[in-house]
Amino acid sequence: MAGNRMVLISDEKALTQYQAAKEETLSLYDAIYDFGFKETLGPENVYSGALTHKRILRGLPAPQILSESALRSVEAHFLKYISENCTSAVKEDGITVKAEVFHMMRSVSLDVSLCTFVGDSFAREVLDKKDKFRERFLEYQDLIEDATAQATVLPRVLSSRILNKVRILRAGLVAEIVAALEKSCLSIKGSEVSAEGKEAVTEFFRQMIEEAGKGPSDYETENTKPKLNGIPTVHRIAEYIIGLLFAAHKNVAITSAQVVIMLLEHPDAKLRVLKELSSLRKGGQDESKSKLSSSSPLAFLEGDLRVEDLNRLHFLDKCIQETLRLIQHSIGSMRKVRSNKGFHFRTSDGRKLNVPRSYYVGVTNAVIGREKFFASPENFDPDAHFKRDERGKLTPLVEGRDRHSHIPFSGGIHLCPGFSVAPLLIKALVVEWFRLAADSGDIEKPVPKLNFERATVAQRDGPCYLIFRHQER
């Protein structure tokens, strides 16, 4: 790619060695730097922000990040999106709404991510303006994917124009975020930055402010080009927010949209999900109001969602993982060989191989997810492909394969920093849409086919329109 050589692996034993390799042997940072992320996400995120987010996410329990107020905001953001963006018609049985599912899920996911990871006051400051921060950020995210694709397959001299365009767009978003931070929730005295009021920001964001104030670690400073010292703390925080939204909202949104499409295309699975919703008991409510009635089995569920409710949706878990299996990308992880000795590894059939210095090593997620070990690899069949082990963890139901059979959310070599939060956000988005649509949800036919041109999970060949009656609750 882009004149560079790459070795793709899917072998089980090779994946284990890939995972265990140290940064000085297989470098993540060199790979993402080489393929344009310095310009698109900025050096602060490449060398400092990503590690900062990982440290915080792994130290906070999911309910502390995804608070009850954040979950309540999901419905509000759906309603706001519907009122501002959807085509609707008033009919005898209610208001019929037509919405493009990917744009809807991306918009709602971005709004919820701002509330979840930063805080409500900041979210209102950037989202309630008439200059459409949301649309510009979605444009920025799409442009990143276009730019990264070009940087991956073209020499830098040919991809530099679009990379520079992304850099300029990012700089504008950073300036807007800085202004919103200063106005909504930060107190700035000289180089010191602190949260203004306990209710203004989330615990996640408070810790991010502290981390940003420390500056880069020795490792980050040593490997950063240019070095991060000297960047004003508030600008570093704004850059971190850009990187966080990039990582947190898009894959969650696209996966949520694909899960909705898969369930609408498979009515039996949809009915099982909705019946699973009916089993949730809401504290302080009458049981009859907390369950789907037998006379109207697809009626919407009343009450606010909680993290413990989402954790009980086991079949929906299976549907999400099965969707991810079908939409995960051909290259889902990439490293650059940094060691002068190359990267030595063995395969399951006993071969000894070496990848030379400056080559890239990539993991073929799509091959792993579609291999013969799955009962019907090309079909949506959650029960045939996933089970819960004795610890309650969802694992691939395959013969002769270990954890590398399924990579998403920290399966196998994919150490996703958001593995405790992202599945819950996906479930919240899917559940709230079905609660809004109740038994009226459908998708316009024909449904466009999967499209793998954009990273990092597959989208569709064209717009996908949901048609549903908006139910007042």
Side-chain angles (χ1 to χ4, degrees):
M1 297 194 298
N4 300 295
R5 293 183 178 272
M6 173 179 285
V7 174
L8 296 176
I9 60 174
S10 64
D11 178 80
E12 183 179 314
K13 192 168 185 178
L15 286 168
T16 303
Q17 295 159 86
Y18 175 96
Q19 179 188 20
K22 295 182 179 180
E23 175 71 14
E24 54 263 33
T25 301
L26 284 181
S27 175
L28 166 65
Y29 296 98
D30 287 355
I32 60 180
Y33 188 93
D34 287 352
F35 288 113
F37 282 103
K38 180 195 75 170
E39 291 89 349
T40 58
L41 285 179
E44 294 82 10
N45 279 308
V46 170
Y47 289 100
S48 180
L51 289 176
T52 295
H53 299 149
K54 284 182 181 180
R55 285 193 289 265
I56 300 172
L57 282 167
R58 292 175 179 174
L60 288 175
Q64 195 168 350
I65 299 173
L66 193 59
S67 64
E68 290 188 12
S69 63
L71 282 175
R72 283 195 298 271
S73 77
V74 178
E75 180 192 11
H77 289 302
F78 266 117
L79 294 174
K80 183 178 180 182
Y81 180 88
I82 290 170
S83 68
E84 294 178 355
N85 298 277
C86 296
T87 302
S88 60
V90 179
K91 297 184 178 181
E92 291 183 0
D93 54 355
I95 301 173
T96 299
V97 177
K98 182 175 181 180
E100 205 289 311
V101 62
F102 288 100
H103 188 268
M104 177 176 68
M105 288 297 188
R106 289 182 64 188
S107 299
V108 173
S109 176
L110 180 62
D111 294 0
V112 172
S113 295
L114 284 168
C115 293
T116 299
F117 293 106
V118 183
D120 292 338
S121 61
F122 171 77
R124 287 193 298 270
E125 183 63 32
V126 296
L127 294 175
D128 290 347
K129 291 183 176 180
K130 295 181 180 179
D131 53 0
K132 299 290 185 183
F133 171 88
R134 183 192 302 109
E135 292 305 316
R136 286 203 307 284
F137 191 90
L138 297 184
E139 177 192 1
Y140 163 71
Q141 182 108 35
D142 288 340
L143 204 57
I144 285 179
E145 295 183 357
D146 292 339
T148 305
Q150 288 195 24
T152 300
V153 299
L154 296 174
R156 183 56 57 92
V157 67
L158 298 179
S159 61
S160 59
R161 178 178 295 181
I162 190 170
L163 287 170
N164 190 53
K165 184 178 179 181
V166 178
R167 182 187 61 78
I168 293 171
L169 184 54
R170 189 188 85 246
L173 290 169
V174 166
E176 187 172 347
I177 289 173
V178 167
L181 287 171
E182 294 175 344
K183 187 174 181 180
S184 64
C185 59
L186 290 189
S187 173
I188 303 171
K189 297 179 181 178
S191 61
E192 296 295 319
V193 180
S194 61
E196 187 73 20
K198 291 184 178 180
E199 301 303 320
V201 298
T202 64
E203 177 60 27
F204 181 96
F205 189 57
R206 276 191 287 272
Q207 292 193 27
M208 193 167 80
I209 293 170
E210 293 176 7
E211 291 283 339
K214 296 175 184 177
S217 68
D218 292 340
Y219 173 80
E220 293 157 1
T221 302
E222 178 184 335
N223 287 278
T224 300
K225 315 160 192 173
K227 296 187 185 301
L228 303 182
N229 292 328
I231 297 173
T233 302
V234 68
H235 284 81
R236 182 174 293 142
I237 293 169
E239 291 278 14
Y240 285 2
I241 290 175
I242 291 282
L244 179 67
L245 293 177
F246 169 83
H249 106 273
K250 181 73 179 286
N251 285 349
V252 164
I254 300 304
T255 303
S256 302
Q258 296 284 25
V259 170
V260 168
I261 293 171
M262 294 289 186
L263 290 174
L264 291 176
E265 288 189 302
H266 298 84
D268 290 345
K270 183 188 82 168
L271 183 58
R272 287 182 62 185
V273 166
L274 292 171
K275 286 185 175 180
E276 188 172 56
L277 275 178
S278 77
S279 69
L280 298 180
R281 291 288 304 275
K282 296 297 173 186
Q285 289 189 7
D286 182 83
E287 182 178 352
S288 64
K289 293 184 178 180
S290 300
K291 290 191 173 186
L292 300 179
S293 67
S294 57
S295 61
S296 182
L298 301 183
F300 56 81
L301 180 71
E302 294 183 357
D304 294 329
L305 281 176
R306 300 167 298 184
V307 169
E308 56 263 40
D309 297 326
L310 297 176
N311 284 330
R312 289 164 55 195
L313 298 174
H314 299 315
F315 183 68
L316 180 56
D317 270 331
K318 282 187 177 184
C319 292
I320 291 170
Q321 294 294 342
E322 178 70 341
T323 299
L324 282 165
R325 185 185 68 80
L326 293 170
I327 68 174
Q328 59 188 343
H329 241 284
S330 55
I331 301 176
S333 179
M334 190 187 303
R335 305 285 186 270
K336 185 176 183 179
V337 181
R338 180 184 284 184
S339 171
N340 289 327
K341 297 179 181 180
F343 171 53
H344 296 271
F345 66 96
R346 292 173 180 263
T347 61
S348 299
D349 59 5
R351 288 176 293 162
K352 297 180 181 180
L353 301 173
N354 177 262
V355 183
R357 175 181 169 83
S358 297
Y359 276 46
Y360 296 88
V361 182
V363 177
T364 55
N365 291 9
V367 172
I368 295 168
R370 304 288 183 98
E371 284 187 321
K372 61 183 179 181
F373 300 98
F374 288 96
S376 50
E378 298 299 324
N379 298 327
F380 181 82
D381 194 349
D383 285 326
H385 296 148
F386 291 95
K387 65 177 180 180
R388 290 194 175 275
D389 62 19
E390 60 277 5
R391 297 171 298 174
K393 183 178 180 181
L394 201 63
T395 58
L397 187 61
V398 293
E399 296 294 334
R401 291 287 279 177
D402 68 1
R403 61 201 178 98
H404 297 302
S405 302
H406 187 65
I407 290 176
F409 297 141
S410 290
I413 55 89
H414 190 132
L415 299 177
C416 172
F419 71 93
S420 64
V421 179
L424 293 173
L425 283 172
I426 291 170
K427 283 197 276 191
L429 289 168
V430 172
V431 168
E432 285 294 359
W433 182 78
F434 275 111
R435 296 212 300 174
L436 284 172
D439 59 345
S440 68
D442 200 359
I443 187 165
E444 194 170 77
K445 307 295 192 301
V447 180
K449 295 181 179 179
L450 290 173
N451 184 304
F452 291 88
E453 290 180 4
R454 285 189 180 275
T456 53
V457 291
Q459 297 179 43
R460 294 279 171 163
D461 272 338
C464 297
Y465 290 101
L466 301 179
I467 301 171
F468 57 99
R469 291 191 306 276
H470 174 209
Q471 303 286 329
E472 295 289 346
R473 287 198 279 137

